Amino acid sequence: MARVVPATGTGEVADRVRARRGGHLTPLDEALLHSEPFADGWNTLLGAVRSNMDLPGELRELAICRVADLNGAEYEWRAHAPLALREGMSAEQVAALREGADATPLTPRQLMVRDYTDAMTRTVSVDDELSDRLHSELGTQQFVELTGTIAAYNMVSRFLVALHVGQQRQTEESEVTA
């Protein structure tokens, strides 16, 4: 169960968030709106990450899904796995993003992005060889955008997990799986 009750979705900031979301608020938004300045900045940053960059959507969603899996943010995974499919990843490639899964379906480029995401998420530091290869593959702008996306979604996943946003009560989970 979430650690904070949903905030009321009223006011200018909530309206801006709703506009970006196509008219609705998510449980994440309802948690963020307890601090309007934070919610407003978050909305601007994540709006840019999701909609205003040259990084291919497939690579963006691959990185987001991998961060979600590594950090145990199932709410984030449920939101972004379908987007990864819409961006052109196969169901087998999306499944390969789970920790410990067979990575065979991933292309060499996808593997490189996965490994970069793993390094940034697990240890923060990325070795020079991997960084140089990925930078060469993507070019400077997309390399920076990928790095920013991974950083931003590590922030998202940590917020979601810490506040239990989108998590069901243990008894509800048992009922769903029973």
PDB file of all heavy atoms in Angstrom, residues 53 55 116 135 138-150:
ATOM      1  N   MET A  53      13.209  14.219 -27.384  1.00  0.00           N
ATOM      2  CA  MET A  53      14.611  13.891 -27.652  1.00  0.00           C
ATOM      3  C   MET A  53      14.739  13.075 -28.937  1.00  0.00           C
ATOM      4  O   MET A  53      13.768  12.513 -29.423  1.00  0.00           O
ATOM      5  CB  MET A  53      15.207  13.129 -26.467  1.00  0.00           C
ATOM      6  CG  MET A  53      15.224  13.947 -25.195  1.00  0.00           C
ATOM      7  SD  MET A  53      16.209  13.275 -23.842  1.00  0.00           S
ATOM      8  CE  MET A  53      15.614  11.632 -23.660  1.00  0.00           C
ATOM      9  N   LEU A  55      16.792  10.420 -29.108  1.00  0.00           N
ATOM     10  CA  LEU A  55      17.071   9.030 -28.758  1.00  0.00           C
ATOM     11  C   LEU A  55      15.921   8.155 -29.245  1.00  0.00           C
ATOM     12  O   LEU A  55      14.758   8.439 -28.945  1.00  0.00           O
ATOM     13  CB  LEU A  55      17.221   8.895 -27.240  1.00  0.00           C
ATOM     14  CG  LEU A  55      17.556   7.496 -26.718  1.00  0.00           C
ATOM     15  CD1 LEU A  55      18.976   7.106 -27.122  1.00  0.00           C
ATOM     16  CD2 LEU A  55      17.397   7.458 -25.201  1.00  0.00           C
ATOM     17  N   TYR A 116      25.187  -0.683 -20.351  1.00  0.00           N
ATOM     18  CA  TYR A 116      25.403   0.691 -19.895  1.00  0.00           C
ATOM     19  C   TYR A 116      24.390   1.035 -18.791  1.00  0.00           C
ATOM     20  O   TYR A 116      24.748   1.610 -17.759  1.00  0.00           O
ATOM     21  CB  TYR A 116      25.274   1.640 -21.086  1.00  0.00           C
ATOM     22  CG  TYR A 116      25.674   3.060 -20.807  1.00  0.00           C
ATOM     23  CD1 TYR A 116      27.011   3.426 -20.707  1.00  0.00           C
ATOM     24  CD2 TYR A 116      24.712   4.058 -20.672  1.00  0.00           C
ATOM     25  CE1 TYR A 116      27.384   4.741 -20.464  1.00  0.00           C
ATOM     26  CE2 TYR A 116      25.075   5.366 -20.428  1.00  0.00           C
ATOM     27  CZ  TYR A 116      26.408   5.714 -20.334  1.00  0.00           C
ATOM     28  OH  TYR A 116      26.774   7.018 -20.092  1.00  0.00           O
ATOM     29  N   HIS A 135      29.119   5.637 -27.045  1.00  0.00           N
ATOM     30  CA  HIS A 135      29.204   7.015 -27.541  1.00  0.00           C
ATOM     31  C   HIS A 135      29.431   7.008 -29.051  1.00  0.00           C
ATOM     32  O   HIS A 135      28.779   7.746 -29.797  1.00  0.00           O
ATOM     33  CB  HIS A 135      30.327   7.750 -26.816  1.00  0.00           C
ATOM     34  CG  HIS A 135      30.374   9.213 -27.091  1.00  0.00           C
ATOM     35  ND1 HIS A 135      31.280  10.030 -26.490  1.00  0.00           N
ATOM     36  CD2 HIS A 135      29.658  10.023 -27.900  1.00  0.00           C
ATOM     37  CE1 HIS A 135      31.122  11.270 -26.906  1.00  0.00           C
ATOM     38  NE2 HIS A 135      30.136  11.283 -27.776  1.00  0.00           N
ATOM     39  N   LEU A 138      26.121   5.825 -30.816  1.00  0.00           N
ATOM     40  CA  LEU A 138      24.955   6.709 -30.770  1.00  0.00           C
ATOM     41  C   LEU A 138      25.238   8.144 -31.202  1.00  0.00           C
ATOM     42  O   LEU A 138      24.308   8.855 -31.584  1.00  0.00           O
ATOM     43  CB  LEU A 138      24.380   6.741 -29.344  1.00  0.00           C
ATOM     44  CG  LEU A 138      23.830   5.445 -28.781  1.00  0.00           C
ATOM     45  CD1 LEU A 138      23.340   5.660 -27.350  1.00  0.00           C
ATOM     46  CD2 LEU A 138      22.717   4.883 -29.660  1.00  0.00           C
ATOM     47  N   GLY A 139      26.476   8.588 -31.108  1.00  0.00           N
ATOM     48  CA  GLY A 139      26.768  10.006 -31.303  1.00  0.00           C
ATOM     49  C   GLY A 139      26.553  10.743 -29.981  1.00  0.00           C
ATOM     50  O   GLY A 139      25.907  10.229 -29.063  1.00  0.00           O
ATOM     51  N   THR A 140      27.084  11.936 -29.908  1.00  0.00           N
ATOM     52  CA  THR A 140      27.089  12.661 -28.640  1.00  0.00           C
ATOM     53  C   THR A 140      25.687  12.975 -28.128  1.00  0.00           C
ATOM     54  O   THR A 140      25.387  12.751 -26.948  1.00  0.00           O
ATOM     55  CB  THR A 140      27.930  13.947 -28.759  1.00  0.00           C
ATOM     56  OG1 THR A 140      29.272  13.568 -29.102  1.00  0.00           O
ATOM     57  CG2 THR A 140      27.943  14.720 -27.457  1.00  0.00           C
ATOM     58  N   GLN A 141      24.818  13.507 -28.972  1.00  0.00           N
ATOM     59  CA  GLN A 141      23.494  13.905 -28.488  1.00  0.00           C
ATOM     60  C   GLN A 141      22.721  12.717 -27.925  1.00  0.00           C
ATOM     61  O   GLN A 141      22.204  12.775 -26.805  1.00  0.00           O
ATOM     62  CB  GLN A 141      22.675  14.573 -29.592  1.00  0.00           C
ATOM     63  CG  GLN A 141      21.297  15.006 -29.086  1.00  0.00           C
ATOM     64  CD  GLN A 141      20.469  15.728 -30.135  1.00  0.00           C
ATOM     65  OE1 GLN A 141      20.976  16.180 -31.153  1.00  0.00           O
ATOM     66  NE2 GLN A 141      19.180  15.839 -29.869  1.00  0.00           N
ATOM     67  N   GLN A 142      22.633  11.629 -28.679  1.00  0.00           N
ATOM     68  CA  GLN A 142      21.875  10.468 -28.202  1.00  0.00           C
ATOM     69  C   GLN A 142      22.552   9.803 -27.005  1.00  0.00           C
ATOM     70  O   GLN A 142      21.880   9.275 -26.124  1.00  0.00           O
ATOM     71  CB  GLN A 142      21.647   9.470 -29.329  1.00  0.00           C
ATOM     72  CG  GLN A 142      20.647   9.977 -30.344  1.00  0.00           C
ATOM     73  CD  GLN A 142      20.334   8.964 -31.422  1.00  0.00           C
ATOM     74  OE1 GLN A 142      20.688   7.790 -31.328  1.00  0.00           O
ATOM     75  NE2 GLN A 142      19.672   9.406 -32.476  1.00  0.00           N
ATOM     76  N   PHE A 143      23.877   9.835 -26.947  1.00  0.00           N
ATOM     77  CA  PHE A 143      24.604   9.292 -25.802  1.00  0.00           C
ATOM     78  C   PHE A 143      24.246  10.073 -24.540  1.00  0.00           C
ATOM     79  O   PHE A 143      23.968   9.494 -23.482  1.00  0.00           O
ATOM     80  CB  PHE A 143      26.104   9.338 -26.088  1.00  0.00           C
ATOM     81  CG  PHE A 143      26.977   8.813 -24.983  1.00  0.00           C
ATOM     82  CD1 PHE A 143      26.944   7.473 -24.624  1.00  0.00           C
ATOM     83  CD2 PHE A 143      27.851   9.659 -24.320  1.00  0.00           C
ATOM     84  CE1 PHE A 143      27.757   6.984 -23.607  1.00  0.00           C
ATOM     85  CE2 PHE A 143      28.670   9.181 -23.311  1.00  0.00           C
ATOM     86  CZ  PHE A 143      28.621   7.837 -22.949  1.00  0.00           C
ATOM     87  N   VAL A 144      24.221  11.393 -24.642  1.00  0.00           N
ATOM     88  CA  VAL A 144      23.842  12.236 -23.504  1.00  0.00           C
ATOM     89  C   VAL A 144      22.375  11.995 -23.146  1.00  0.00           C
ATOM     90  O   VAL A 144      22.024  11.894 -21.964  1.00  0.00           O
ATOM     91  CB  VAL A 144      24.124  13.728 -23.806  1.00  0.00           C
ATOM     92  CG1 VAL A 144      23.466  14.653 -22.786  1.00  0.00           C
ATOM     93  CG2 VAL A 144      25.625  13.974 -23.874  1.00  0.00           C
ATOM     94  N   GLU A 145      21.522  11.886 -24.139  1.00  0.00           N
ATOM     95  CA  GLU A 145      20.095  11.656 -23.878  1.00  0.00           C
ATOM     96  C   GLU A 145      19.865  10.302 -23.211  1.00  0.00           C
ATOM     97  O   GLU A 145      19.050  10.196 -22.285  1.00  0.00           O
ATOM     98  CB  GLU A 145      19.295  11.778 -25.173  1.00  0.00           C
ATOM     99  CG  GLU A 145      19.230  13.200 -25.682  1.00  0.00           C
ATOM    100  CD  GLU A 145      18.543  13.374 -27.026  1.00  0.00           C
ATOM    101  OE1 GLU A 145      18.249  12.356 -27.708  1.00  0.00           O
ATOM    102  OE2 GLU A 145      18.301  14.534 -27.404  1.00  0.00           O
ATOM    103  N   LEU A 146      20.573   9.282 -23.652  1.00  0.00           N
ATOM    104  CA  LEU A 146      20.446   7.964 -23.010  1.00  0.00           C
ATOM    105  C   LEU A 146      20.913   8.044 -21.555  1.00  0.00           C
ATOM    106  O   LEU A 146      20.231   7.537 -20.651  1.00  0.00           O
ATOM    107  CB  LEU A 146      21.261   6.914 -23.762  1.00  0.00           C
ATOM    108  CG  LEU A 146      21.290   5.532 -23.088  1.00  0.00           C
ATOM    109  CD1 LEU A 146      19.894   4.906 -23.081  1.00  0.00           C
ATOM    110  CD2 LEU A 146      22.292   4.623 -23.786  1.00  0.00           C
ATOM    111  N   THR A 147      22.045   8.680 -21.328  1.00  0.00           N
ATOM    112  CA  THR A 147      22.563   8.812 -19.971  1.00  0.00           C
ATOM    113  C   THR A 147      21.568   9.556 -19.084  1.00  0.00           C
ATOM    114  O   THR A 147      21.292   9.136 -17.950  1.00  0.00           O
ATOM    115  CB  THR A 147      23.931   9.522 -19.993  1.00  0.00           C
ATOM    116  OG1 THR A 147      24.823   8.776 -20.831  1.00  0.00           O
ATOM    117  CG2 THR A 147      24.523   9.655 -18.604  1.00  0.00           C
ATOM    118  N   GLY A 148      20.991  10.624 -19.588  1.00  0.00           N
ATOM    119  CA  GLY A 148      19.985  11.372 -18.843  1.00  0.00           C
ATOM    120  C   GLY A 148      18.725  10.572 -18.592  1.00  0.00           C
ATOM    121  O   GLY A 148      18.111  10.665 -17.515  1.00  0.00           O
ATOM    122  N   THR A 149      18.321   9.770 -19.564  1.00  0.00           N
ATOM    123  CA  THR A 149      17.128   8.924 -19.400  1.00  0.00           C
ATOM    124  C   THR A 149      17.346   7.906 -18.291  1.00  0.00           C
ATOM    125  O   THR A 149      16.483   7.710 -17.434  1.00  0.00           O
ATOM    126  CB  THR A 149      16.792   8.216 -20.731  1.00  0.00           C
ATOM    127  OG1 THR A 149      16.489   9.214 -21.719  1.00  0.00           O
ATOM    128  CG2 THR A 149      15.632   7.256 -20.584  1.00  0.00           C
ATOM    129  N   ILE A 150      18.500   7.257 -18.310  1.00  0.00           N
ATOM    130  CA  ILE A 150      18.805   6.264 -17.270  1.00  0.00           C
ATOM    131  C   ILE A 150      18.836   6.935 -15.905  1.00  0.00           C
ATOM    132  O   ILE A 150      18.269   6.421 -14.929  1.00  0.00           O
ATOM    133  CB  ILE A 150      20.136   5.542 -17.584  1.00  0.00           C
ATOM    134  CG1 ILE A 150      20.014   4.735 -18.874  1.00  0.00           C
ATOM    135  CG2 ILE A 150      20.554   4.649 -16.416  1.00  0.00           C
ATOM    136  CD1 ILE A 150      21.339   4.301 -19.475  1.00  0.00           C
TER     137      ILE A 150
END
